Amino acid sequence: MSNGDLELQMPSNLRAEREASSSQPFLNPRPVLPIDVTPKRRGVLCLTVETPVASSFQRPVQARPPPRWRTPEFLFYGVVFAAVLPLMIWKPMVLSRDTHPNYYLYQERLSDGWIFGRKIDDSDAQYRSFRDNLPVLVPVAGFFLLLKYVYLQVFQRTSSATQGTLLNRIPLQFIFSVLFLLGLHGANILKILFILSLNYVIAKSLHKSRMAPVLTWIFNISVLFAIDRNSGYRFASLSPSLTYLDSVQGVYPRWYIPFNITMLRLVSFNMDYFWSCRAASLPPARPENEMNHKQRTATSHNFEVYSFVNFVAYVLYPPLYIAGPIMTFNDFMWQHVKSTSIPSWPMVIKYLVRFLACLLVMEFVLHYMYVVAIKDSAAWTGDTSFELSMIGWWNLIVVWLKLLLPWRFFRLWALIDGIDPPENMIRCMVNNYSALGFWRAWHRSYNLWIVRYIYIPLGGTKRQLVSTALIFSFVALWHDLTFRLLAWGWLISLFIVPEIAAQYLLPPAKYGSRTWYRHACALGAVVNMLMMMIANLVGFVFGVDGTKYMIQQLFGSMQGRELGNLTI
């Protein structure tokens, strides 16, 4: 991949949320007002990203047992933590020294860094694409925001009909989106606009017919697989008379790479319009009360809002076009209708500081821990079981960071523009002990999309296991047509079953007061985290064979058994 490429293929996972399921397929879920309970954020919770909680998960605050921080049990946990965590950081740094016997196996994958003369491990193609193009993305975002400011200063007062809304930005966003894609993909924008037009015709011609969602899904999945199989179709393969258009490529001619994100927006528009046509009644053009994310997503607009200009402005919205986060059409337009939803500047500045802090953490990891290069070169000959486990563990941390940073950059761009898309990464992989909860916090906007447009229409909780298996198969194939991602999807579906079974057999309402219950939950948490690590090592790090080798070394060798006994 060249340094000029803007390829950001983002692995994503299912957020299996307990939504109220529908008895009819493709029925629009009704908005449910959340319980007015806002617990105070204390301690380490203050370090997490604030995000709205779905109403189905909010519970009234109940009396809790006193904290155990000063008990002998938790003091022991603190001692173990203080001893083990530095060792987990130090070990991969030792493996990354130029004096290590395996250094020569991967040193060609390293590049010159900027921290104290250290090399940097930028061998991961996805993150290297974002890192190398960040100096270009920042000026593009700045130019977009400056152009918007000038546009509003010149034209804002000329239209009284849009006072108090952001609807006056739609024409600018439409024009800038077209120019942005023209520079990004060159003449390939014609292919994108052609696909968008066909999708729009399907929605508008079928209205509330039950064939609308069927043809929408058939069309979009067919297009997604066709352009992937044929690398986006060169104009010369379509017609010899169009060969000259292949020379107008733009800075990133591989337009079919980010199309998997675009496809989700096409489905969102068609399904939201379909549900709007089938709605018994529509809300007022501008509701008086403030709407939360769940309400903005589930509440339909008047028919005139589902116009072609709004459709194109939504699908090609520059801050979110390349990698997301993903917004539904309803949410996107309600945030333009209700200008009071604009994020506050203190929130935006805080988010910027957090992004820069995460960026520096990633730079430190890449300069001092060459775990990606070690993994790609299989440079672990002679390493102990603990060292192998740290190579796998830190590779997962790199996966988390390399996804978090692009997503937060593009969300930051949208926040500055006054649009608040969902936060994709709420938690890290190591601070969530629930398999179901993990997917609700990993690529959250994609998971919200999955719940609304696939999980609930398939039956929701009424067919939870079947729906989960089908959804993870779709998620794996949506990313890439490879066996290891399909294996990842099936493993995730399998690993969720124990937690669902435990919730059914050991409900907290019945056993929560028992002394042993907390320890049983802790044991289940350990098993859940190990299973999630194995699944993601298969999908995004080592693959099937590499993960099998690591597990054999960890649990099949004498050192691995000793490490396991020590852990237990």
Side-chain angles (χ1 to χ4, degrees):
M1 181 185 304
S2 63
N3 289 342
D5 286 352
L6 290 171
E7 180 175 350
L8 294 169
Q9 297 170 302
M10 298 303 171
S12 56
N13 307 298
L14 172 65
R15 171 184 177 271
E17 183 172 358
R18 294 178 183 174
E19 297 276 1
S21 59
S22 169
S23 58
Q24 299 180 7
F26 308 115
L27 184 64
N28 187 20
R30 296 181 179 179
V32 181
L33 293 177
I35 302 174
D36 188 15
V37 176
T38 307
K40 294 183 178 180
R41 300 164 62 84
R42 299 177 179 176
V44 295
L45 289 179
C46 296
L47 300 178
T48 60
V49 176
E50 295 186 16
T51 184
V53 179
S55 61
S56 58
F57 282 91
Q58 289 181 335
R59 298 290 185 269
V61 177
Q62 299 176 354
R64 297 181 179 273
R68 299 181 175 89
W69 292 110
R70 297 183 180 181
T71 61
E73 177 188 356
F74 274 62
L75 291 176
F76 171 75
Y77 297 156
V79 172
V80 173
F81 177 83
V84 173
L85 183 62
L87 185 61
M88 295 174 66
I89 297 174
W90 177 251
K91 185 55 67 174
M93 295 175 66
V94 172
L95 296 175
S96 303
R97 290 177 176 174
D98 55 7
T99 57
H100 193 275
N102 293 333
Y103 181 78
Y104 76 96
L105 295 174
Y106 62 85
Q107 61 179 343
E108 294 183 355
R109 296 179 179 270
L110 307 179
S111 306
D112 293 332
W114 60 273
I115 298 180
F116 302 125
R118 294 276 303 180
K119 294 285 188 178
I120 182 173
D121 181 6
D122 63 345
S123 56
D124 184 274
Q126 283 184 325
Y127 184 70
R128 183 176 65 247
S129 173
F130 171 74
R131 185 176 184 271
D132 291 347
N133 287 287
L134 191 58
V136 178
L137 290 170
V138 172
V140 170
F143 177 73
F144 172 80
L145 297 170
L146 177 62
L147 186 64
K148 181 203 70 174
Y149 175 79
V150 173
Y151 170 84
L152 294 179
Q153 291 298 315
V154 175
F155 297 104
Q156 186 175 21
R157 298 181 181 179
T158 62
S159 177
S160 59
T162 58
Q163 290 295 325
T165 75
L166 303 182
L167 293 175
N168 53 349
R169 300 183 184 182
I170 295 295
L172 173 66
Q173 291 175 185
F174 177 88
I175 296 173
F176 188 89
S177 297
V178 173
L179 295 177
F180 176 73
L181 259 69
L182 185 62
L184 189 64
H185 300 314
N188 290 308
I189 188 178
L190 298 176
K191 304 172 187 176
I192 298 174
L193 292 178
F194 177 71
I195 295 173
L196 265 61
S197 300
L198 291 180
N199 187 83
Y200 185 79
V201 169
I202 291 175
K204 287 294 185 175
S205 60
L206 296 177
H207 298 286
K208 61 181 180 180
S209 169
R210 290 188 177 274
M211 288 301 298
V214 174
L215 290 183
T216 293
W217 277 102
I218 293 176
F219 171 74
N220 281 280
I221 291 178
S222 300
V223 169
L224 184 66
F225 289 157
I227 63 176
D228 179 76
R229 183 179 181 86
N230 295 277
S231 299
Y233 289 101
R234 294 182 62 84
F235 282 102
S237 65
L238 300 176
S239 173
S241 63
L242 301 177
T243 303
Y244 71 97
L245 291 175
D246 288 323
S247 61
V248 187
Q249 294 187 346
V251 297
Y252 186 55
R254 301 174 65 190
W255 65 276
Y256 54 92
I257 298 298
F259 187 81
N260 59 346
I261 298 289
T262 304
M263 169 256 185
L264 303 180
R265 301 189 188 99
L266 299 184
V267 172
S268 175
F269 175 84
N270 281 23
M271 294 303 300
D272 285 356
Y273 178 69
F274 169 75
W275 284 323
S276 175
C277 293
R278 295 182 66 88
S281 61
L282 294 176
R286 293 187 59 190
E288 297 180 0
N289 299 327
E290 183 72 13
M291 303 172 70
N292 58 31
H293 172 266
K294 190 177 183 70
Q295 292 170 322
R296 292 194 305 265
T297 298
T299 305
S300 299
H301 294 270
N302 292 316
F303 296 143
E304 61 268 16
V305 175
Y306 299 90
S307 66
F308 185 75
V309 172
N310 290 344
F311 169 59
V312 174
Y314 158 69
V315 174
L316 306 182
Y317 180 55
L320 307 181
Y321 170 77
I322 296 176
I326 303 158
M327 297 181 67
T328 66
F329 178 82
N330 283 349
D331 185 16
F332 181 79
M333 290 308 302
W334 277 123
Q335 292 199 37
H336 283 78
V337 172
K338 294 287 293 182
S339 59
T340 52
S341 300
I342 297 177
S344 63
W345 275 109
M347 171 192 171
V348 174
I349 294 174
K350 179 181 177 181
Y351 198 79
L352 171 62
V353 172
R354 294 179 61 86
F355 168 77
L356 295 176
C358 293
L359 183 63
L360 291 176
V361 170
M362 183 63 155
E363 289 294 303
F364 173 84
V365 171
L366 296 182
H367 276 82
Y368 286 92
M369 303 178 186
Y370 303 147
V371 291
V372 178
I374 293 173
K375 175 260 299 183
D376 291 337
S377 304
W380 46 57
T381 303
D383 289 349
T384 66
S385 299
F386 178 68
E387 290 170 341
L388 282 173
S389 65
M390 288 300 96
I391 292 173
W393 192 82
W394 279 101
N395 265 282
L396 290 177
I397 293 295
V398 170
V399 169
W400 173 67
L401 281 171
K402 79 171 184 178
L403 301 180
L404 176 143
L405 287 168
W407 283 332
R408 288 195 177 175
F409 172 81
F410 292 118
R411 183 173 186 256
L412 176 64
W413 181 359
L415 289 173
I416 298 175
D417 189 42
I419 300 298
D420 187 5
E423 169 63 39
N424 266 344
M425 289 294 201
I426 302 176
R427 293 185 176 186
C428 180
M429 43 164 276
V430 295
N431 69 343
N432 196 326
Y433 58 85
S434 167
L436 294 173
F438 179 83
W439 303 127
R440 291 193 287 266
W442 183 286
H443 203 170
R444 179 173 174 268
S445 66
Y446 182 49
N447 300 332
L448 291 171
W449 185 95
I450 288 286
V451 169
R452 175 167 171 80
Y453 299 111
I454 301 181
Y455 183 68
I456 294 179
L458 285 178
T461 55
K462 292 183 178 179
R463 304 179 183 91
Q464 189 171 16
L465 293 179
V466 176
S467 299
T468 300
L470 292 174
I471 286 171
F472 272 114
S473 298
F474 166 79
V475 170
L477 295 175
W478 177 80
H479 284 108
D480 198 3
L481 294 175
T482 60
F483 172 72
R484 77 175 194 173
L485 281 177
L486 193 58
W488 165 83
W490 292 338
L491 282 174
I492 294 301
S493 303
L494 177 64
F495 290 165
I496 285 178
V497 173
E499 182 173 345
I500 296 176
Q503 290 177 348
Y504 176 79
L505 297 174
L506 301 173
K510 184 176 181 180
Y511 299 102
S513 60
R514 306 290 180 88
T515 304
W516 54 266
Y517 187 78
R518 180 168 60 89
H519 301 286
C521 290
L523 179 61
V526 173
V527 174
N528 272 340
M529 294 182 71
L530 289 175
M531 290 191 299
M532 292 300 102
M533 290 178 66
I534 291 173
N536 285 287
L537 286 173
V538 169
F540 305 117
V541 181
F542 294 120
V544 178
D545 295 335
T547 304
K548 185 186 302 184
Y549 170 80
M550 191 189 73
I551 294 175
Q552 288 175 349
Q553 291 299 112
L554 286 176
F555 299 103
S557 66
M558 181 62 67
Q559 288 180 337
R561 286 192 292 269
E562 292 176 354
L563 176 63
N565 294 333
L566 178 61
T567 304
I568 294 176

